[in-house]
Amino acid sequence: MNSKNSPAHPATQLVLGGRDRDTLGFVNPPLVRGSTVLHDSVADMKARVAARLAGADEPIAYGIYGGPTHQAFYDALNALEGGHRSWALPSGLTACAIALQAFVGSGDHVLVPDSVYGPVRRFCDQTLRRFGVTTTYYDPCSGAEIERLFTPATRMLWLESPGSHTFEMQDVPLLAAIARARGAFSAIDNTWATPLYFQPLKVGVDVSLHAATKYIGGHSDLLMGTVTSNERAWPQLRAAIHEYGLTTSADDCALALRGLRSMGARLVQHEANARALIAWFKQQPEVERVLFPADADDPGHALWKRDMTGACGLFGVLLKPGLGEARLHALVDAVTLFGRGYSWGGYESLLIPSFPERTVTANVYSGRLFRVHAGLEDPRDLVADLERGFAALRRPG
Ligand SMILES: *Cc1c(COP(=O)(O)O)cnc(C)c1O
C-alpha cells in the first residue's frame, strides 16, 4: 500500500508510513549507519552531484544527506503532515533556529508570538539580532489586527499553537493567509498537537516543525527535531540545512520511526489521563483555572475544536491569586510519582513550576502557574500523588 497517496486515516498512516521502500522482507527499514557511499564511476559521481544541486534528495551521494533509515522516517512524516520534504535535526531547538535562520538576512524582520518557547526568544533576541534581523513579539491571540505589525521587511511569521506554558490557541489558517498575502513565510512549532492531530501545511503554513524529543520519541531517550516543508519553502530550508551540515544518526531516526508507530495509541492514553487529572484539579478550591484547549472551558476551545483532532497530555494549572510562590514550590516538592524535570512527551508524568516570559502582553501568571505532563501511569495513582502535593500546598508556613 502506498502510504503517500493513501486515503488511510492518520492513525493508520502511523503504521504504514515509510514502508514503501525495499526492506528485504522485514517489516522495518534497515538501520544503515554510514558516511561514505560508493559510486560506480566518475560519471555517476558527477550525475549525483548535479542531481543534488538541482534539488533532488536522492540518490544519496554522502552520509550527511541521510540514508535509507532517514528516508523512511522522512517519508512517514511527509505522509502525516502532507509535506513536500522533511528533515531530522539534532534537537527541537535546532529545528526552530534553522527554520528561522533559513528565511532571513540582514535588515529583515520576523514576527514571533509572545507565548513562544523560551529558547526561541533567546535565539531571536541574541543570534538573529547580531545578524541584523529584528523581532517583533505579538499577542498570540491576535487575529487580523496582526497586519499592522508587518513591514516591507517582514520575512517570517512564527507560530506556536498552543503556546508554551500558557497554551493560547492561535488562528493558524488566518495568520498563515495574512503572512502569505504579505509575501512572508510562516512556520509553526507543532510539537503539542503532534503530526497526528494537526497538519498545518494543509491550512497554508509553509513549515511545520516538531521537537521529536517529545511524543514522536515518546520515551525520554531521544533528542531530535524535525522540519516538514511545502514546495515553496523547501529550497531555502534545504540550503540552510545542507550549508550547516545538519544531520542526525540513523540510530536516532530508527528510534523516532519506532516511536511514531505507537504514538497514536500512546496519545489516546495521555489525553485520557490528562482529562482525568483536569477533572480532579477543577474540584480544588485553590485552582483558578486549567490551561488546556481541549477542555470545553478553555478560551481556545473553539479554535482547538475547529483545527485539531485530538490533544496530548500537557497542560497548565493556574492557582488563585494570593497563593504565592512558596506554596506552589511546596506542592511541586511534595509529589513523588510526578517527576520534576524539563521536557515532556515521554511515558512518565512530570510537574514543574512555570515561569512564562512576556514582553508585549500582560504576565498574569507570575509565581502561580505550574505545568503538568500526564504520563501513562494509572490516573488513580497520579491523583493520589496530587493529593499529597495539595496537602503540602495547604499546610501553613
Ligand atoms: C521542548 C520543546 C522544543 C525544543 O525541543 P528540544 O528537543 O528539547 O530542543 C521546542 N518547542 C517546544 C514547544 C518544546 O516544548
Side-chain angles (χ1 to χ4, degrees):
M1 196 165 176
N2 186 317
S3 55
K4 261 188 209 133
N5 306 313
S6 143
H9 294 95
T12 307
Q13 283 174 356
L14 285 177
V15 173
L16 295 177
R19 288 172 52 197
D20 294 343
R21 296 162 190 257
D22 183 14
T23 57
L24 310 169
F26 285 82
V27 171
N28 291 302
L31 198 169
V32 178
R33 292 161 156 270
S35 54
T36 299
V37 176
L38 298 177
H39 297 67
D40 293 337
S41 61
V42 175
D44 180 27
M45 297 179 93
K46 285 188 164 174
R48 290 195 195 199
V49 171
R52 182 169 54 76
L53 293 177
D57 291 320
E58 295 174 83
I60 290 160
Y62 182 48
I64 206 161
Y65 305 115
T69 318
H70 298 74
Q71 295 294 342
F73 177 49
Y74 300 168
D75 286 352
L77 267 183
N78 283 334
L80 282 165
E81 292 257 10
H84 172 62
R85 290 281 192 282
S86 296
W87 203 262
L89 303 142
S91 70
L93 182 55
T94 317
C96 295
I98 209 68
L100 279 161
Q101 177 125 27
F103 299 99
V104 295
S106 177
D108 288 344
H109 172 242
V110 298
L111 286 168
V112 174
D114 213 15
S115 53
V116 70
Y117 177 66
V120 172
R121 183 186 286 271
R122 234 87 60 217
F123 180 77
C124 293
D125 293 349
Q126 293 172 18
T127 300
L128 286 188
R129 187 161 172 263
R130 271 196 291 119
F131 288 94
V133 178
T134 54
T135 302
T136 300
Y137 293 95
Y138 67 90
D139 181 344
C141 299
S142 292
E145 68 275 17
I146 199 170
E147 288 233 37
R148 68 184 164 77
L149 298 179
F150 279 81
T151 77
T154 307
R155 293 284 166 276
M156 169 56 76
L157 173 68
W158 194 257
L159 303 161
E160 185 180 334
S161 181
S164 274
H165 293 284
T166 45
F167 300 92
E168 297 91 341
M169 286 295 294
Q170 299 199 266
D171 192 339
V172 175
L174 174 74
L175 297 171
I178 292 171
R180 189 164 297 209
R182 291 293 187 136
F185 286 98
S186 59
I188 185 167
D189 187 328
N190 195 28
T191 303
W192 187 90
T194 80
L196 187 61
Y197 291 153
F198 185 40
Q199 294 87 37
L201 270 53
K202 295 180 183 167
V203 298
V205 180
D206 296 302
V207 180
S208 171
L209 57 97
H210 293 277
T213 306
K214 312 289 165 55
Y215 289 109
I216 293 177
H219 295 76
S220 301
D221 56 1
L222 175 69
L223 282 160
M224 181 187 278
T226 66
V227 288
T228 301
S229 163
N230 60 16
E231 218 164 333
R232 176 171 107 104
W234 180 241
Q236 267 173 272
L237 189 54
R238 177 184 192 265
I241 289 167
H242 288 345
E243 282 161 23
Y244 280 100
L246 288 168
T247 187
T248 53
S249 72
D251 306 63
D252 281 353
C253 286
L255 271 183
L257 195 54
R258 173 200 247 255
L260 268 189
R261 303 303 184 202
S262 63
M263 190 177 73
R266 285 185 282 110
L267 281 169
V268 168
Q269 196 61 46
H270 283 293
E271 178 179 346
N273 284 5
R275 289 186 185 277
L277 299 183
I278 286 167
W280 182 87
F281 278 119
K282 283 179 153 187
Q283 288 168 359
Q284 309 313 307
E286 292 84 359
V287 171
E288 170 135 313
R289 84 178 177 90
V290 173
L291 286 59
F292 187 62
D295 187 78
D297 295 337
D298 191 276
H301 188 65
L303 286 175
W304 174 80
K305 211 168 163 181
R306 187 192 70 186
D307 292 345
M308 295 183 179
T309 54
C312 69
L314 189 77
F315 59 94
V317 181
L318 187 63
L319 294 173
K320 292 218 166 115
L323 285 164
E325 208 163 63
R327 310 287 287 280
L328 170 57
H329 293 184
L331 184 170
V332 176
D333 286 344
V335 290
T336 58
L337 189 52
F338 284 89
R340 287 166 289 274
Y342 298 109
S343 202
W344 44 280
Y347 54 82
E348 79 288 10
S349 290
L350 300 166
L351 195 161
I352 57 166
S354 286
F355 307 100
E357 290 171 69
R358 283 294 182 275
T359 48
V360 296
T361 50
N363 193 345
V364 297
Y365 310 102
S366 182
R368 57 193 182 100
L369 181 67
F370 61 99
R371 190 179 73 180
V372 179
H373 178 246
L376 300 177
E377 303 89 343
D378 189 312
R380 290 170 296 188
D381 295 326
L382 293 171
V383 165
D385 200 30
L386 292 176
E387 273 163 357
R388 193 172 10 250
F390 269 62
L393 170 84
R394 286 167 189 147
R395 214 167 286 138

mmCIF file of all heavy atoms in Angstrom, residues 286 319 322-333 367 389-397:
data_model
loop_
_atom_site.group_PDB
_atom_site.id
_atom_site.type_symbol
_atom_site.label_atom_id
_atom_site.label_comp_id
_atom_site.label_asym_id
_atom_site.label_seq_id
_atom_site.Cartn_x
_atom_site.Cartn_y
_atom_site.Cartn_z
ATOM 1 N N GLU A 286 -8.232 25.822 45.406
ATOM 2 C CA GLU A 286 -7.055 26.671 45.156
ATOM 3 C C GLU A 286 -6.811 26.910 43.663
ATOM 4 O O GLU A 286 -5.988 27.750 43.296
ATOM 5 C CB GLU A 286 -5.791 26.033 45.748
ATOM 6 C CG GLU A 286 -5.760 25.978 47.268
ATOM 7 C CD GLU A 286 -6.488 24.766 47.823
ATOM 8 O OE1 GLU A 286 -7.038 23.967 47.028
ATOM 9 O OE2 GLU A 286 -6.535 24.617 49.054
ATOM 10 N N LEU A 319 -2.985 28.729 39.800
ATOM 11 C CA LEU A 319 -3.531 28.832 41.156
ATOM 12 C C LEU A 319 -4.170 30.205 41.345
ATOM 13 O O LEU A 319 -3.856 31.169 40.636
ATOM 14 C CB LEU A 319 -2.412 28.633 42.183
ATOM 15 C CG LEU A 319 -1.778 27.237 42.202
ATOM 16 C CD1 LEU A 319 -0.563 27.213 43.138
ATOM 17 C CD2 LEU A 319 -2.786 26.168 42.623
ATOM 18 N N GLY A 322 -2.788 35.242 45.207
ATOM 19 C CA GLY A 322 -2.614 35.239 46.663
ATOM 20 C C GLY A 322 -1.912 33.985 47.149
ATOM 21 O O GLY A 322 -1.308 33.985 48.216
ATOM 22 N N LEU A 323 -2.002 32.912 46.364
ATOM 23 C CA LEU A 323 -1.223 31.720 46.728
ATOM 24 C C LEU A 323 0.164 31.923 46.134
ATOM 25 O O LEU A 323 0.355 31.804 44.935
ATOM 26 C CB LEU A 323 -1.867 30.465 46.139
ATOM 27 C CG LEU A 323 -3.115 29.982 46.841
ATOM 28 C CD1 LEU A 323 -3.868 28.995 45.974
ATOM 29 C CD2 LEU A 323 -2.753 29.329 48.170
ATOM 30 N N GLY A 324 1.102 32.275 46.958
ATOM 31 C CA GLY A 324 2.409 32.718 46.453
ATOM 32 C C GLY A 324 3.293 31.574 46.006
ATOM 33 O O GLY A 324 2.943 30.397 46.106
ATOM 34 N N GLU A 325 4.482 31.979 45.582
ATOM 35 C CA GLU A 325 5.448 31.056 45.035
ATOM 36 C C GLU A 325 5.833 29.957 46.032
ATOM 37 O O GLU A 325 6.019 28.796 45.664
ATOM 38 C CB GLU A 325 6.690 31.861 44.641
ATOM 39 C CG GLU A 325 7.476 31.266 43.524
ATOM 40 C CD GLU A 325 8.429 32.297 42.917
ATOM 41 O OE1 GLU A 325 9.340 32.784 43.634
ATOM 42 O OE2 GLU A 325 8.254 32.612 41.738
ATOM 43 N N ALA A 326 5.921 30.313 47.317
ATOM 44 C CA ALA A 326 6.362 29.336 48.320
ATOM 45 C C ALA A 326 5.376 28.168 48.411
ATOM 46 O O ALA A 326 5.777 27.002 48.539
ATOM 47 C CB ALA A 326 6.512 30.014 49.684
ATOM 48 N N ARG A 327 4.070 28.475 48.307
ATOM 49 C CA ARG A 327 3.059 27.413 48.386
ATOM 50 C C ARG A 327 3.147 26.519 47.153
ATOM 51 O O ARG A 327 3.035 25.296 47.252
ATOM 52 C CB ARG A 327 1.652 28.026 48.479
ATOM 53 C CG ARG A 327 1.507 29.112 49.559
ATOM 54 C CD ARG A 327 1.502 28.520 50.964
ATOM 55 N NE ARG A 327 0.271 27.810 51.299
ATOM 56 C CZ ARG A 327 -0.856 28.413 51.687
ATOM 57 N NH1 ARG A 327 -0.924 29.724 51.772
ATOM 58 N NH2 ARG A 327 -1.919 27.703 51.990
ATOM 59 N N LEU A 328 3.352 27.155 46.001
ATOM 60 C CA LEU A 328 3.494 26.388 44.749
ATOM 61 C C LEU A 328 4.709 25.460 44.828
ATOM 62 O O LEU A 328 4.648 24.281 44.473
ATOM 63 C CB LEU A 328 3.614 27.347 43.555
ATOM 64 C CG LEU A 328 3.996 26.732 42.200
ATOM 65 C CD1 LEU A 328 3.020 25.644 41.774
ATOM 66 C CD2 LEU A 328 4.059 27.809 41.116
ATOM 67 N N HIS A 329 5.812 26.014 45.361
ATOM 68 C CA HIS A 329 7.025 25.193 45.442
ATOM 69 C C HIS A 329 6.835 24.024 46.418
ATOM 70 O O HIS A 329 7.357 22.930 46.182
ATOM 71 C CB HIS A 329 8.221 26.052 45.849
ATOM 72 C CG HIS A 329 8.591 27.053 44.788
ATOM 73 N ND1 HIS A 329 9.676 27.880 44.896
ATOM 74 C CD2 HIS A 329 8.013 27.357 43.604
ATOM 75 C CE1 HIS A 329 9.750 28.649 43.829
ATOM 76 N NE2 HIS A 329 8.747 28.354 43.032
ATOM 77 N N ALA A 330 6.066 24.238 47.480
ATOM 78 C CA ALA A 330 5.801 23.151 48.430
ATOM 79 C C ALA A 330 5.060 22.017 47.719
ATOM 80 O O ALA A 330 5.358 20.833 47.922
ATOM 81 C CB ALA A 330 4.988 23.684 49.608
ATOM 82 N N LEU A 331 4.111 22.385 46.877
ATOM 83 C CA LEU A 331 3.365 21.379 46.097
ATOM 84 C C LEU A 331 4.322 20.588 45.193
ATOM 85 O O LEU A 331 4.328 19.353 45.192
ATOM 86 C CB LEU A 331 2.303 22.097 45.262
ATOM 87 C CG LEU A 331 1.295 21.326 44.390
ATOM 88 C CD1 LEU A 331 0.236 22.293 43.890
ATOM 89 C CD2 LEU A 331 1.879 20.579 43.228
ATOM 90 N N VAL A 332 5.120 21.342 44.428
ATOM 91 C CA VAL A 332 5.997 20.687 43.444
ATOM 92 C C VAL A 332 7.012 19.784 44.144
ATOM 93 O O VAL A 332 7.332 18.693 43.658
ATOM 94 C CB VAL A 332 6.703 21.748 42.559
ATOM 95 C CG1 VAL A 332 7.685 21.088 41.594
ATOM 96 C CG2 VAL A 332 5.680 22.581 41.778
ATOM 97 N N ASP A 333 7.486 20.221 45.303
ATOM 98 C CA ASP A 333 8.483 19.420 46.030
ATOM 99 C C ASP A 333 7.877 18.189 46.705
ATOM 100 O O ASP A 333 8.605 17.250 47.046
ATOM 101 C CB ASP A 333 9.184 20.283 47.099
ATOM 102 C CG ASP A 333 10.173 21.264 46.473
ATOM 103 O OD1 ASP A 333 10.526 21.072 45.291
ATOM 104 O OD2 ASP A 333 10.579 22.221 47.160
ATOM 105 N N GLY A 367 4.440 33.416 39.386
ATOM 106 C CA GLY A 367 4.517 32.745 40.682
ATOM 107 C C GLY A 367 3.413 31.762 41.002
ATOM 108 O O GLY A 367 3.411 31.174 42.072
ATOM 109 N N GLY A 389 0.519 16.380 47.089
ATOM 110 C CA GLY A 389 1.035 17.699 46.719
ATOM 111 C C GLY A 389 0.157 18.818 47.250
ATOM 112 O O GLY A 389 0.662 19.811 47.799
ATOM 113 N N PHE A 390 -1.142 18.668 47.110
ATOM 114 C CA PHE A 390 -2.051 19.733 47.566
ATOM 115 C C PHE A 390 -2.114 19.805 49.093
ATOM 116 O O PHE A 390 -2.370 20.880 49.649
ATOM 117 C CB PHE A 390 -3.437 19.588 46.930
ATOM 118 C CG PHE A 390 -3.557 20.366 45.647
ATOM 119 C CD1 PHE A 390 -2.748 20.062 44.557
ATOM 120 C CD2 PHE A 390 -4.448 21.428 45.518
ATOM 121 C CE1 PHE A 390 -2.815 20.789 43.373
ATOM 122 C CE2 PHE A 390 -4.530 22.175 44.339
ATOM 123 C CZ PHE A 390 -3.714 21.860 43.260
ATOM 124 N N ALA A 391 -1.880 18.686 49.758
ATOM 125 C CA ALA A 391 -1.808 18.725 51.232
ATOM 126 C C ALA A 391 -0.627 19.610 51.653
ATOM 127 O O ALA A 391 -0.741 20.426 52.570
ATOM 128 C CB ALA A 391 -1.659 17.318 51.788
ATOM 129 N N ALA A 392 0.474 19.502 50.919
ATOM 130 C CA ALA A 392 1.647 20.342 51.213
ATOM 131 C C ALA A 392 1.357 21.806 50.883
ATOM 132 O O ALA A 392 1.764 22.716 51.608
ATOM 133 C CB ALA A 392 2.861 19.844 50.431
ATOM 134 N N LEU A 393 0.651 22.036 49.791
ATOM 135 C CA LEU A 393 0.267 23.392 49.390
ATOM 136 C C LEU A 393 -0.579 24.067 50.476
ATOM 137 O O LEU A 393 -0.450 25.259 50.734
ATOM 138 C CB LEU A 393 -0.510 23.329 48.077
ATOM 139 C CG LEU A 393 -1.211 24.595 47.590
ATOM 140 C CD1 LEU A 393 -0.226 25.470 46.839
ATOM 141 C CD2 LEU A 393 -2.385 24.257 46.677
ATOM 142 N N ARG A 394 -1.447 23.258 51.108
ATOM 143 C CA ARG A 394 -2.390 23.812 52.093
ATOM 144 C C ARG A 394 -1.770 24.003 53.462
ATOM 145 O O ARG A 394 -2.306 24.728 54.291
ATOM 146 C CB ARG A 394 -3.604 22.865 52.220
ATOM 147 C CG ARG A 394 -4.516 22.975 51.024
ATOM 148 C CD ARG A 394 -5.543 21.866 50.937
ATOM 149 N NE ARG A 394 -6.211 21.970 49.649
ATOM 150 C CZ ARG A 394 -6.662 20.942 48.938
ATOM 151 N NH1 ARG A 394 -6.538 19.713 49.409
ATOM 152 N NH2 ARG A 394 -7.218 21.141 47.780
ATOM 153 N N ARG A 395 -0.653 23.318 53.690
ATOM 154 C CA ARG A 395 -0.007 23.382 55.008
ATOM 155 C C ARG A 395 0.499 24.804 55.242
ATOM 156 O O ARG A 395 1.240 25.350 54.426
ATOM 157 C CB ARG A 395 1.166 22.394 55.044
ATOM 158 C CG ARG A 395 1.393 21.748 56.386
ATOM 159 C CD ARG A 395 2.356 20.555 56.251
ATOM 160 N NE ARG A 395 1.740 19.400 55.622
ATOM 161 C CZ ARG A 395 2.332 18.629 54.699
ATOM 162 N NH1 ARG A 395 3.546 18.904 54.272
ATOM 163 N NH2 ARG A 395 1.699 17.600 54.171
ATOM 164 N N PRO A 396 0.081 25.438 56.327
ATOM 165 C CA PRO A 396 0.542 26.810 56.537
ATOM 166 C C PRO A 396 2.042 26.874 56.837
ATOM 167 O O PRO A 396 2.598 25.917 57.357
ATOM 168 C CB PRO A 396 -0.261 27.284 57.748
ATOM 169 C CG PRO A 396 -0.814 26.065 58.407
ATOM 170 C CD PRO A 396 -0.764 24.943 57.433
ATOM 171 N N GLY A 397 2.664 28.001 56.464
ATOM 172 C CA GLY A 397 4.051 28.239 56.821
ATOM 173 C C GLY A 397 5.027 27.911 55.753
ATOM 174 O O GLY A 397 5.048 28.111 54.674
#
